[in-house]
Amino acid sequence: MKRFHLEELEKSYRENNLKFLNFLEKNYDVKSFRQVNYKGKERISRFILPEYLYYVKKGVLISSYYDYQGNRRSVNITSEGEILGITAFFYNTPQNWEIQVLEDAEITILPKRELDKNEAEVYNIFGSSLSYYLLMLSMGWQVMSSNGSERINYALILLTHKLGVKCDERYYLPVYVNHELIASFAAVSRSYATRCLQKLAMDGVVSLAYKMLYIQDKEKLFSVTPNYFFEDC
């Protein structure tokens, strides 16, 4: 059997995010912070500035990090209760991100100058989550250096982990997880993604019915994917 190496880290990470939300509501007038709303299918290109944290109140986003040469270096799914900008915040360095909105999103922008008023508590909460962010960033770099079919497998595993609903030993993905989105996630062409998905379907790993993608055999998908984020157990 294999399992996600990140499961325990992510559990702790989400507990810390909940602790942070409770901390915000107790110490700040959260409604006074700037709120931005995005509709599904929107794309946002911007620098994540170290002067802010971006708290996702609702929605699902694909966030991609680019280096200063314009190369895509990391990709991740961010959803309700998660935070963008942690590494920029800690290292005081702006980062170039492209964000694709999958489900209507509402984001609260938290100014560092306000958080600094309770600096010790803020850093204490996020310090324990920094290893999660660094591991996700490092893992994303590894993935984007692999070949196209491996990137598609990675995309399917992460999409299943973040968004999949398990039923009768298979995982249902939201209807917006289509060939085009998987191609975008994996930085390949749509036709290439379709060929890879057809091969996975022939191997009994995935299936497509009623315009929805299902993961039929998660363990088999693990077996043909480099060991980025799961371990034998």
Side-chain angles (χ1 to χ4, degrees), residues 9-20 83 86-87 90 122-136:
L9 268 178
E10 184 156 336
K11 180 182 177 183
S12 173
Y13 155 73
R14 289 192 175 274
E15 288 173 352
N16 282 331
N17 285 351
L18 181 58
K19 188 186 299 183
F20 179 64
I83 297 164
I86 290 290
T87 49
F90 269 92
V122 170
Y123 277 81
N124 182 52
I125 292 171
F126 283 120
S128 55
S129 290
L130 188 57
S131 58
Y132 172 87
Y133 285 100
L134 292 176
L135 185 57
M136 290 299 292

Side-chain angles (χ1 to χ4, degrees), residues 68-226:
Y68 284 100
Q69 285 73 47
N71 300 308
R72 194 184 197 189
R73 290 299 188 186
S74 182
V75 62
N76 194 22
I77 300 265
T78 306
S79 58
E80 182 177 332
E82 296 191 78
I83 297 164
L84 285 169
I86 290 290
T87 49
F89 183 86
F90 269 92
Y91 291 103
N92 198 35
T93 304
Q95 295 179 338
N96 188 14
W97 287 85
E98 180 180 274
I99 296 169
Q100 181 180 356
V101 183
L102 301 182
E103 296 180 14
D104 291 358
E106 182 178 341
I107 297 174
T108 301
I109 300 177
L110 310 171
K112 187 176 188 293
R113 64 178 182 274
E114 291 294 327
L115 299 178
D116 281 349
K117 295 175 183 177
N118 294 280
E119 183 178 18
E121 292 89 343
V122 170
Y123 277 81
N124 182 52
I125 292 171
F126 283 120
S128 55
S129 290
L130 188 57
S131 58
Y132 172 87
Y133 285 100
L134 292 176
L135 185 57
M136 290 299 292
L137 193 61
S138 172
M139 184 175 66
W141 278 61
Q142 292 181 64
V143 170
M144 296 313 293
S145 299
S146 62
N147 67 46
S149 62
E150 290 173 351
R151 294 201 301 271
I152 286 174
N153 293 347
Y154 166 80
L156 290 172
I157 290 174
L158 196 58
L159 287 163
T160 301
H161 180 60
K162 292 278 192 174
L163 305 175
V165 177
K166 187 176 182 181
C167 182
D168 297 330
E169 300 305 315
R170 66 178 182 173
Y171 293 82
Y172 295 70
L173 293 171
V175 67
Y176 56 73
V177 179
N178 53 27
H179 292 205
E180 185 175 353
L181 184 135
I182 292 167
S184 174
F185 194 109
V188 298
S189 69
R190 189 188 185 285
S191 59
Y192 183 89
T194 296
R195 290 196 300 274
C196 288
L197 289 168
Q198 287 172 342
K199 174 68 165 58
L200 289 170
M202 289 175 60
D203 293 340
V205 177
V206 305
S207 64
L208 183 64
Y210 304 107
K211 297 185 178 180
M212 292 184 69
L213 186 67
Y214 306 91
I215 306 300
Q216 294 282 105
D217 192 335
K218 194 175 179 183
E219 291 300 320
K220 194 168 184 178
L221 183 58
F222 284 154
S223 71
V224 293
T225 306

Side-chain angles (χ1 to χ4, degrees), residues 5-46:
H5 179 61
L6 289 176
E7 281 181 351
E8 290 303 315
L9 268 178
E10 184 156 336
K11 180 182 177 183
S12 173
Y13 155 73
R14 289 192 175 274
E15 288 173 352
N16 282 331
N17 285 351
L18 181 58
K19 188 186 299 183
F20 179 64
L21 178 60
N22 293 334
F23 167 79
L24 285 179
E25 292 176 341
K26 180 180 178 181
N27 292 278
Y28 298 93
D29 177 12
V30 177
K31 292 181 180 178
S32 69
F33 293 137
R34 183 184 169 202
Q35 311 282 328
V36 292
N37 295 280
Y38 298 104
K39 293 292 186 183
K41 299 185 180 180
E42 278 193 68
R43 290 180 179 269
I44 309 126
S45 294
R46 65 174 301 161

Side-chain angles (χ1 to χ4, degrees), residues 49-67:
L49 301 174
E51 293 85 2
Y52 301 95
L53 286 175
Y54 304 82
Y55 183 83
V56 182
K57 284 187 69 176
K58 73 171 187 176
V60 179
L61 317 165
I62 289 181
S63 51
S64 305
Y65 164 67
Y66 289 79
D67 64 19

